[in-house]
Structure formats: structure tokens, C-alpha cells
Amino acid sequence: MSNTRAIAEIGLLVYPGAQTSAVDGLTDLFSVANQIAAEQASAQLPVLRISHWRLDESGGQPLRTFDSQPGAASKLVAVLIPPSLTTLPASEVMQRLAAWVREHHAGGATVGSVCLGSFVLAEAGLLDGRKATTHWTRAKELAERYPRLKVEVDTPIVDDGDMITTAGLMAWAELGLRLVDRLMGPSIAAHTARFLMVEHMDSARECGSNFAPILSHGDAAVLKVQHWLQGNGAVDVSLSAMAERAGLEERTFLRRFRAATGLKPTEYCQHVRVGKAREMLEFTNGTVDHIAWNVGYQDPGAFRSTFKKITGLSPSDYRKRFGVSAPADKADQAAAL
């Protein structure tokens, strides 16, 4: 069956000091997902190829040292950086790791980190201007060492589309399940979580998973714009600015962007903004009007309408189900009447 199904390779970066239990656990999690998917007998579901990558002694980039599908030709659709139980790698090693991660991200791979793995993403410059999380004992160090990113110390996971950072040492399970959800669908993710007897934060949601942009389409010009939009939150952007960033004429950009992502640029921007709003509704007590303004909507009514169209819930209902306790938002209550 694997010969007729697409292959989606997930690379685990095994750096010096990486937690071996997380590497092995993720390998097993994806293997279980493959077994469950195989039982569905669907050619539409990909086969997850799990590979481990380690630095060699020659000073070059990491090399594949384990491969669950040896001999198959594929490129990485995701790179995961496990946590560390000790200290961070030396500066020279960090730079080599960062260069490798940066290269694959530029090629369309989603990148994810657990605990101290976020330091590698920060070293690569991928978190500049973005929010990220890490273990609470190293949050201050991360913020001081990389001042261009914003550390969300009280947030267990920051899912920013093309990058996912998690805080806890054991958060590798949630990171793995989110990738299974993206690549194989919520049903396979839920069955995998049930088989492993672990909780999946998205498994009980009725309003769909967080926005997972298509990054493996191979259009470098479009991918450049996608990374730019994820980085700036798709706030204060225009069609002309996106086309200029891509180096394309507007009509050509529109055609290629929709072909690559499945969405019009305006629709894509809405999904990015709503994704960031969902995170703020879950982990902050800001009013809905304030969140609307923060994600780029000057009209709170338009924000509420777009949010409900995408998630199926009003912002206030979403917060009640998935967010922290917060004072009642009178404006949102009035809008719901």
C-alpha cells in the first residue's frame, strides 16, 4: 500500500543533549498513526516517513541516521526539534543546527520545537518578530538572548502556522499529534491519541483545528509571501505589497498564490488573523474588541463575522469553550443579541 500512497517525511533533529525519550516517543507516535491510517485503506492518506538527523564530525550539516522508509525519495515536510534535559549545544553547533533548520523552513517545511528546542529556531532567526514559548525556567534567557521575539511564558503552545513552539518537556506528544492532524486529518490524530492514551488539545474541538497553511507546493515566490504573512500576522498588507514581495505582477501573483495555497490572498490573510485571535482568546483576558484591533481589524463587527465564518463560533463562545476565565465582554454580548 505504501507504494501507492504519497510520502510525507518528518525529520527529527537529534542534537547533542536532546531528550532521547522524546525522539523515540515521536518515532513511535508517527508509527502508530501510520498503522491506524493503513487500516483505513485510503490512498488519500500519506505514509509518514520518520527520519533522524545528527551532526557529523566533519563540520557539515546533519545527516540522516535513521529512516523508516529507506530508499524512498522525498523531502522534509516538517522538522521537529526535541527538548533537552541538560544544557544548550555550544555556539558553533547551534549555528550549524540553525542553518540546517532555516534551509528546510525556506524550502516549505513546517518547523516545531519542544521546550529548549525553541532556542534553535531563535538562533536561525525564524522567530524574529513572532511569539514563541519555551520551558519556564529558560524563558527569561530566551527573551534576553533573542530580543526580537516575544516569549509567551504562560502559554503551553504557540501554533503559528509554519512554526509551532511548545513549553513543556512532555509536550512532544501534542506537537506530534498536531502534525498527524495536519497531514492525516483529525480522525487519525484522535485515534492515535486514544491508542497511546494521551490527551490531544484539538481532539474534542467542534470548530476545527488551527490554520495549517500548505507549504510544500514548491512555488518559492508564493512561499516567500506566506512566511512574510505569518511573520507580520497579515496586518496592514495589500495585494500590491504581496505581489511586490513575491516579485510578480499582481494578476500572476493572484493566480499562482491560489494555485499553491488553495486560497485567495484575502482569504489566506483572514485565516492567519483568525488563527492569532484564537490563540489570544485561549490564553489572554483581552476584550474581543482589543483582540480584533491587535490582529488587524479596525471594525470589531467585521472581525466577529469573519471569526464565526471560519470557526463556526463567535469569539465569546470560543473563549467560553477553550479559553481562560475572563470578565464578560459586554460589546461581544451585545453583538450576539
Side-chain angles (χ1 to χ4, degrees):
M1 182 177 297
S2 60
N3 292 330
T4 61
R5 291 162 56 192
I7 291 178
E9 183 175 356
I10 301 171
L12 307 181
L13 185 57
V14 190
Y15 58 91
Q19 184 182 0
T20 55
S21 61
V23 176
D24 293 340
L26 282 166
T27 302
D28 290 342
L29 185 151
F30 295 132
S31 296
V32 168
N34 272 335
Q35 293 172 17
I36 293 173
E39 294 172 358
Q40 303 297 317
S42 172
Q44 301 301 315
L45 295 175
V47 174
L48 300 185
R49 177 184 186 183
I50 308 102
S51 54
H52 298 176
W53 299 76
R54 297 176 186 266
L55 290 173
D56 64 0
E57 298 180 356
S58 68
Q61 291 191 334
L63 300 175
R64 186 189 280 115
T65 58
F66 169 81
D67 190 348
S68 66
Q69 298 284 332
S74 62
K75 75 171 189 174
L76 296 180
V77 300
V79 172
L80 304 187
I81 308 170
S84 172
L85 292 175
T86 56
T87 60
L88 293 169
S91 176
E92 183 270 338
V93 173
M94 281 282 283
Q95 291 174 15
R96 290 167 62 192
L97 296 172
W100 185 80
V101 172
R102 187 167 52 243
E103 176 185 341
H104 284 285
H105 177 258
T110 298
V111 292
S113 67
V114 183
C115 191
L116 300 190
S118 57
F119 279 78
V120 178
L121 300 186
E123 181 69 23
L126 299 179
L127 297 178
D128 289 355
R130 299 221 201 177
K131 295 179 181 179
T133 190
T134 191
H135 196 274
W136 64 272
T137 61
R138 306 298 285 272
K140 182 179 179 181
E141 179 184 352
L142 181 65
E144 292 176 347
R145 187 167 174 176
Y146 304 100
R148 297 185 64 182
L149 64 88
K150 182 178 180 182
V151 180
E152 299 286 334
V153 65
D154 296 322
T155 303
I157 185 167
V158 176
D159 188 339
D160 201 17
D162 59 333
M163 279 184 281
I164 308 171
T165 57
T166 61
L169 278 166
M170 303 303 293
W172 56 263
E174 174 60 24
L175 178 59
L177 289 169
R178 290 210 175 200
L179 276 181
V180 173
D181 192 320
R182 290 188 181 192
L183 297 171
M184 293 180 154
S187 177
I188 301 298
H191 279 82
T192 301
R194 189 177 303 118
F195 181 88
L196 297 173
M197 298 183 69
V198 296
E199 183 179 356
H200 178 27
M201 291 172 64
D202 278 344
S203 62
R205 292 190 175 179
E206 300 174 11
C207 58
S209 302
N210 287 329
F211 177 48
I214 298 173
L215 301 172
S216 56
H217 46 70
D219 191 324
V222 171
L223 185 61
K224 181 179 179 181
V225 175
Q226 288 179 271
H227 287 160
W228 179 60
L229 292 174
Q230 294 290 161
N232 63 24
V235 175
D236 294 328
V237 295
S238 63
L239 175 60
S240 59
M242 287 186 277
E244 182 179 356
R245 173 72 56 164
L248 300 171
E249 187 270 336
E250 287 187 18
R251 183 174 298 180
T252 301
F253 170 73
L254 275 171
R255 175 178 54 79
R256 286 174 54 174
F257 189 93
R258 188 168 187 177
T261 68
L263 296 169
K264 298 177 182 178
T266 52
E267 295 171 334
Y268 191 95
C269 290
Q270 288 175 344
H271 278 277
V272 171
R273 294 173 184 173
V274 166
K276 293 185 181 297
R278 288 171 64 159
E279 177 188 319
M280 296 177 72
L281 287 165
E282 291 178 28
F283 301 116
T284 77
N285 288 326
T287 66
V288 172
D289 284 4
H290 181 69
I291 290 173
W293 181 82
N294 269 290
V295 299
Y297 287 89
Q298 296 184 359
D299 180 356
F303 165 72
R304 288 181 172 85
S305 176
T306 300
F307 189 95
K308 188 168 185 178
K309 178 181 178 182
I310 290 176
T311 68
L313 296 172
S314 70
S316 59
D317 286 340
Y318 184 91
R319 169 172 273 163
K320 288 176 183 177
R321 295 194 188 189
F322 311 115
V324 298
S325 298
D329 191 305
K330 295 180 179 179
D332 203 50
Q333 288 179 343
L337 296 177

